[in-house]
Amino acid sequence: MPSSSSTFVAGLTAAALATVGFLAFQASANMPADLAEPRRGAPAKAAKAPGNIASTALPDDSGVGERVVYALMADRVWLVAADGRVKRTFKVAPGSVDPLPGSYSVGSRSGAITGTDGTPIEHVVRFAEVDEVVIGFSTALDGSLPEPDPRVQTGGIRETVADGDAMWAFATIGRRVDVVR
């Protein structure tokens, strides 16, 4: 026959587990829609793509002034002059972790390093961090634009060599980076 103290502990444990389960359910039921969407690479993401994401037109909700604009759904970047003119636009190959939409600024740069995937890269322009994964633009020295490996948490947004050169010249420390869906 169990002792009264072990019965009491078992009862407390059961009550605690029930409370945690209830709170987890409540949190998931009240989660904002943008947080509940699947991460990059999940099949459902393509079905939610708005309009023509292949467009090279600067998104309407991309801020004002001199900035880098990064559109997550289009995997496209715009380098925008102070007067609002697009200096350059190009496609990119994102990593497996996306930054959240919002306004950031370039916090650090590196001329040449090894990427988290082991590839030698150059012209690294870092602007965000998500769950301890650093997000930034870079160019692979071998010119590769790989598909993200969903098993590895990477924040490198790869560009061609020519586009990486343009980003490096434009996105200096403090330059604003506006991320839009």
Side-chain angles (χ1 to χ4, degrees), residues 97 116 128-135 153-155:
V97 178
T116 54
E129 186 175 320
V130 175
D131 297 330
E132 298 182 15
V133 176
V134 176
I135 311 291
Q153 298 286 298
T154 60

Side-chain angles (χ1 to χ4, degrees), residues 48-130:
K48 296 182 180 208
N52 178 10
I53 63 171
S55 172
T56 59
L58 184 64
D60 291 334
D61 59 348
S62 64
V64 296
E66 194 167 34
R67 67 202 182 279
V68 174
V69 175
Y70 174 39
L72 298 170
M73 297 300 289
D75 293 329
R76 178 168 289 281
V77 168
W78 292 262
L79 306 181
V80 183
D83 63 4
R85 286 180 308 109
V86 174
K87 296 175 80 168
R88 185 181 189 101
T89 185
F90 49 91
K91 293 287 285 178
V92 293
S96 60
V97 178
D98 284 332
L100 294 173
S103 191
Y104 303 87
S105 62
V106 174
S108 68
R109 299 171 14 126
S110 295
I113 61 171
T114 300
T116 54
D117 62 357
T119 303
I121 57 177
E122 68 177 357
H123 295 161
V124 181
V125 176
R126 299 175 200 89
F127 65 91
E129 186 175 320
V130 175

